[in-house]
Amino acid sequence: MDQNGGAREIKSTELGPTAQNYVEEDSNRRKRLGLYFLESDDRRMSALGGGYTSVGATPVTIHGKPLSDYRMSKTGGWIAAFFIFGNEMAERMAYFGLSVNMVAFMFYVMHRPFEVSANAVNNFLGISQASSVLGGFLADAYLGRYWTIAIFTNIYLVGLTGITIGATLKTLVPNQDECNQLALLLGNCEPAKSWQMLYLYTVLYVTGFGAAGIRPCVSSFGADQFDERDRNYKAHLDRFFNFFYLSVTIGAIVAFTAVVYLQIIRGWGYAFGSLAIAMGMSNLVFFLGTPLYRHRLPGGSPLTRVAQVLAAAFRKRNDSFQSSEYVGLYELPGKRSAIKGSSKIAHTDDFRCLDKAALRLKEDGTCPSPWKLCTVTQVEEVKILIKLVPIPVCTIMLNLVLTEFLTLSVQQAYTLNTHIGRLKLPVTCMPVFPGLSIFLLLSLYYSVFVPVSRRITGHPHGASQLQRVGIGLAVSILSVAVAGIFERYRRNYAIQHGYEASFLTPMPELSAYWLLIQYCLIGIAEVFCIVGLLEFLYEEAPDAMRSIGSAYAAVAGGLGCFGASILNNIVKAATGDAAQMRTSWLSQNINTGRFDYFYWLLTVLSVINFCAFLYAACRYQYRTKQVSETREQANGV
């Protein structure tokens, strides 16, 4: 059984007649081309090959020197990874702390309308995630993952410090005198001045800029600490991404509990200040671990390499593969890849038009320009980036649902009884329950889920990466469907018991803990989908583009936030009409709105998205299988 694929893993479809003919016609060329990869240090075959055979993807010191076997034994591994976990925990604590508190801060302190505040925070979260591709680009192209994290984590700290100062100094917030809850609802409180909002947005987006640099690098840098020659490499990597997301969850739980508690007891300055202190401490821990880290060489600008492939392929679009006087497609001989920090990548038959970029012609000369002739590895990098796109795109819907849950379920909780015995849980603490469900699932993952699912799927790790993403998407459908059913019951109960106009008054007979069902389901969906996606992107991305690959997941999260804002605006415009006194589904008065209809709309969209994912996953072919097939062809098997 293939360790990476599994007997029942989602596999690609067979080649069509056209592609099959292409392979048969050029079989001799493919066999000769395959010889160029026999000594390649492909990272998935290195555990079987017994060692690194190239400097391409070999771990190096912080100064760029290859690590000796002695230094390899003294660096990396789980100890180094735990120093990195601390940085991610603080970053996620700050991210979720801002996401749950900043809407309330803008509404209650800066006196901005709730809807405007929610959209502003959604846009901030979306931009901070979508711009993660910048951090991934800098890490892969120039700085390396370590230095990218080191720089941007301090930018993050500067932004959090600025937010803390803004919440502490009275001159940076509007006058709070005679501004009670009724005045807030009527809009009679003194609004924030334009320069006060400018300051808040500036420090908020400095924080987002810092997060954008960190997010695509931390998971990849942590995974870099494990030895690809180790026969247990796959198992270590699988456990790493689960523990990585466990650190994310712990940060979220602290943000939804301790930070909210500080805000209620001591005020906004203490709440935001605790996030800055946590980030400062995590920075110290991260730098203390510097002697233990393994590094990878940046491979140069990935965008430039992509542009070179597109330019070269366009130049030779009318040339025939039969016109080449050489091996057919160009690749450097020997063990080294032309791309620093990368092993060679075997040729595949996908996107054949891009192969023209590697078609070596007589007019290319002995020292061809990379804008006219690219190596097979460089062409395959572009192919891989293209083939990866549909999978993270299909997770945008899950991120949209997660964003909606952060706001919609909190509005539901305001109308419900949040008491546990004599203890009243603040409404803003309610999002902690998805985090708790994630924590519980990850804690039991290897003792419960893996053994049970292994019997069903036959996969050594319980489920393949794409299967886990699919499980997450399927459970997310169930979560929004359950949310719609409960919201219909909650709304009917409010109307029948005279609470229709009292949308900020909790109904004592109806417990908020009915929301735990949808919370736990979305938590399970998140851990399966996001953890599977992170591992999938790290393993499938080209060696010199792993940060860019990880940035795909963050970009999908950002697009989910933007999608939530866009969908909200569309639904409000389509379902509400002030002239006809028709209330929109997303009315501020949840008891007169139709949140249940909105949840069911999300259910329908999630089902459509899941079908698209199944199509994309069934067509996707893991790189491990492609490499094996290429080697068989090269050996004449």
Side-chain angles (χ1 to χ4, degrees):
M1 181 180 297
D2 182 74
Q3 184 177 358
N4 297 289
R8 303 184 186 180
E9 187 173 4
I10 297 175
K11 300 180 179 178
S12 67
T13 54
E14 297 296 324
L15 292 174
T18 303
Q20 187 65 40
N21 291 336
Y22 172 78
V23 173
E24 293 174 355
E25 290 171 3
D26 294 294
S27 59
N28 292 330
R29 176 183 60 80
R30 289 292 306 278
K31 288 178 181 179
R32 284 180 289 153
L33 182 62
L35 295 174
Y36 279 71
F37 300 93
L38 292 181
E39 296 179 339
S40 172
D41 60 326
D42 187 87
R43 53 195 167 88
R44 293 165 184 75
M45 302 300 292
S46 56
L48 300 176
Y52 294 104
T53 59
S54 165
V55 183
T58 304
V60 297
T61 67
I62 194 172
H63 303 294
K65 305 292 184 181
L67 285 169
S68 64
D69 287 340
Y70 174 76
R71 289 296 300 160
M72 284 285 288
S73 66
K74 299 295 182 182
T75 58
W78 284 105
I79 296 177
F82 277 111
F83 280 94
I84 299 169
F85 286 150
N87 184 269
E88 179 63 14
M89 192 182 303
E91 192 275 323
R92 294 284 90 182
M93 176 180 165
Y95 175 84
F96 287 109
L98 290 177
S99 67
V100 75
N101 284 301
M102 188 52 67
V103 175
F105 178 76
M106 286 188 177
F107 179 71
Y108 287 106
V109 179
M110 305 304 287
H111 305 152
R112 306 288 292 173
F114 185 84
E115 179 182 334
V116 173
S117 302
N119 282 338
V121 173
N122 280 346
N123 290 336
F124 155 71
L125 297 177
I127 291 174
S128 71
Q129 293 193 76
S131 58
S132 294
V133 70
L134 171 64
F137 169 78
L138 291 175
D140 285 340
Y142 306 112
L143 299 177
R145 287 184 264 279
Y146 173 85
W147 288 112
T148 304
I149 296 171
I151 293 169
F152 282 88
T153 196
N154 285 295
I155 295 175
Y156 206 137
L157 180 59
V158 169
L160 290 173
T161 303
I163 292 174
T164 303
I165 293 172
T168 304
L169 298 181
K170 293 184 177 180
T171 55
L172 295 175
V173 297
N175 189 352
Q176 305 298 314
D177 295 339
E178 299 181 359
C179 185
N180 52 32
Q181 188 176 37
L182 179 61
L184 275 171
L185 292 175
L186 295 176
N188 294 333
C189 294
E190 178 184 321
K193 298 179 176 64
S194 58
W195 66 269
Q196 291 173 330
M197 290 305 301
L198 177 62
Y199 173 84
L200 179 60
Y201 282 131
T202 299
V203 294
L204 196 59
Y205 280 99
V206 167
T207 305
F209 183 63
I214 297 172
R215 190 170 292 117
C217 301
V218 178
S219 62
S220 299
F221 188 54
D224 287 344
Q225 306 311 309
F226 297 95
D227 191 348
E228 296 175 349
R229 300 172 300 178
D230 190 338
R231 290 186 177 275
N232 295 320
Y233 173 67
K234 279 285 296 179
H236 286 315
L237 208 61
D238 184 67
R239 288 180 180 270
F240 165 76
F241 280 104
N242 278 280
F243 280 117
F244 175 80
Y245 212 72
L246 187 62
S247 69
V248 171
T249 303
I250 293 172
I253 290 172
V254 173
F256 292 139
T257 53
V259 177
V260 170
Y261 177 79
L262 273 175
Q263 184 272 314
I264 294 172
I265 302 300
R266 303 305 299 269
W268 295 102
Y270 280 87
F272 294 133
S274 66
L275 302 179
I277 292 171
M279 180 58 68
M281 293 175 64
S282 78
N283 289 359
L284 178 62
V285 170
F286 176 77
F287 289 120
L288 286 175
T290 298
L292 299 174
Y293 299 144
R294 297 172 184 169
H295 305 263
R296 299 297 175 98
L297 292 172
S301 172
L303 297 184
T304 300
R305 297 201 300 274
V306 171
Q308 287 171 343
V309 170
L310 298 178
F314 182 78
R315 285 174 182 268
K316 299 178 179 179
R317 65 190 183 278
N318 295 323
D319 292 315
S320 168
F321 286 108
Q322 304 301 324
S323 61
S324 174
E325 297 181 359
Y326 299 90
V327 73
L329 297 179
Y330 174 64
E331 181 58 85
L332 293 185
K335 303 175 183 179
R336 283 183 186 269
S337 166
I339 302 167
K340 185 170 62 174
S342 173
S343 59
K344 288 182 178 179
I345 305 174
H347 176 262
T348 63
D349 290 319
D350 303 304
F351 304 108
R352 291 182 343 201
C353 59
L354 295 178
D355 286 340
K356 296 291 183 71
L359 182 64
R360 188 167 188 178
L361 305 175
K362 185 176 182 180
E363 53 264 32
D364 290 326
T366 56
C367 298
S369 165
W371 292 94
K372 295 182 179 179
L373 180 65
C374 304
T375 65
V376 168
T377 295
Q378 188 174 341
V379 172
E380 291 300 322
E381 278 190 330
V382 180
K383 291 183 182 181
I384 291 169
L385 289 181
I386 295 173
K387 286 186 286 187
L388 287 177
V389 167
I391 304 303
V393 164
C394 290
T395 66
I396 292 175
M397 190 64 212
L398 174 70
N399 287 286
L400 186 151
V401 170
L402 288 169
T403 303
E404 297 288 8
F405 264 47
L406 278 176
T407 53
L408 299 183
S409 60
V410 168
Q411 285 182 263
Q412 288 177 295
Y414 270 115
T415 70
L416 303 170
N417 181 3
T418 60
H419 281 84
I420 304 178
R422 294 185 179 181
L423 175 65
K424 178 177 172 56
L425 191 70
V427 170
T428 47
C429 285
M430 292 300 292
V432 74
F433 290 106
L436 291 175
S437 65
I438 293 173
F439 183 87
L440 180 63
L441 177 61
L442 289 175
S443 301
L444 300 176
Y445 185 83
Y446 290 103
S447 60
V448 178
F449 173 77
V450 171
V452 173
S453 59
R454 185 186 293 130
R455 295 179 181 178
I456 300 173
T457 65
H459 194 280
H461 303 298
S464 69
Q465 297 146 1
L466 289 181
Q467 285 171 343
R468 279 182 279 167
V469 174
I471 291 171
L473 295 179
V475 176
S476 72
I477 297 173
L478 185 60
S479 71
V480 286
V482 168
I485 293 171
F486 174 72
E487 171 55 22
R488 183 176 181 85
Y489 174 79
R490 188 212 60 80
R491 181 180 182 274
N492 290 339
Y493 184 95
I495 294 174
Q496 292 170 6
H497 291 78
Y499 289 97
E500 186 171 0
S502 306
F503 64 96
L504 290 179
T505 302
M507 296 177 283
E509 300 86 2
L510 195 58
S511 174
Y513 299 101
W514 283 105
L515 294 173
L516 292 187
I517 301 175
Q518 64 198 58
Y519 275 143
C520 291
L521 287 172
I522 198 63
I524 293 171
E526 184 179 358
V527 70
F528 273 104
C529 183
I530 304 302
V531 174
L533 179 65
L534 288 173
E535 185 178 344
F536 169 78
L537 292 173
Y538 179 82
E539 285 215 59
E540 295 299 303
D543 292 327
M545 293 185 179
R546 281 173 170 171
S547 297
I548 292 288
S550 297
Y552 273 14
V555 170
L559 294 177
C561 293
F562 290 134
S565 296
I566 294 171
L567 182 62
N568 290 348
N569 291 334
I570 292 174
V571 168
K572 287 176 182 177
T575 61
D577 191 333
Q580 299 181 10
M581 302 294 291
R582 187 173 72 241
T583 304
S584 76
W585 289 359
L586 298 177
S587 170
Q588 184 165 319
N589 183 345
I590 187 175
N591 294 332
T592 59
R594 296 307 306 244
F595 278 30
D596 52 341
Y597 290 173
F598 186 72
Y599 278 128
W600 288 333
L601 173 63
L602 292 178
T603 303
V604 173
L605 294 176
S606 296
V607 170
I608 296 173
N609 177 75
F610 182 67
C611 293
F613 168 78
L614 289 179
Y615 177 78
C618 288
R619 289 179 60 85
Y620 187 83
Q621 186 172 355
Y622 283 86
R623 287 180 58 195
T624 306
K625 181 181 177 182
Q626 292 172 340
V627 170
S628 301
E629 289 175 348
T630 300
R631 295 191 176 205
E632 289 174 358
Q633 290 169 351
N635 289 318
V637 177

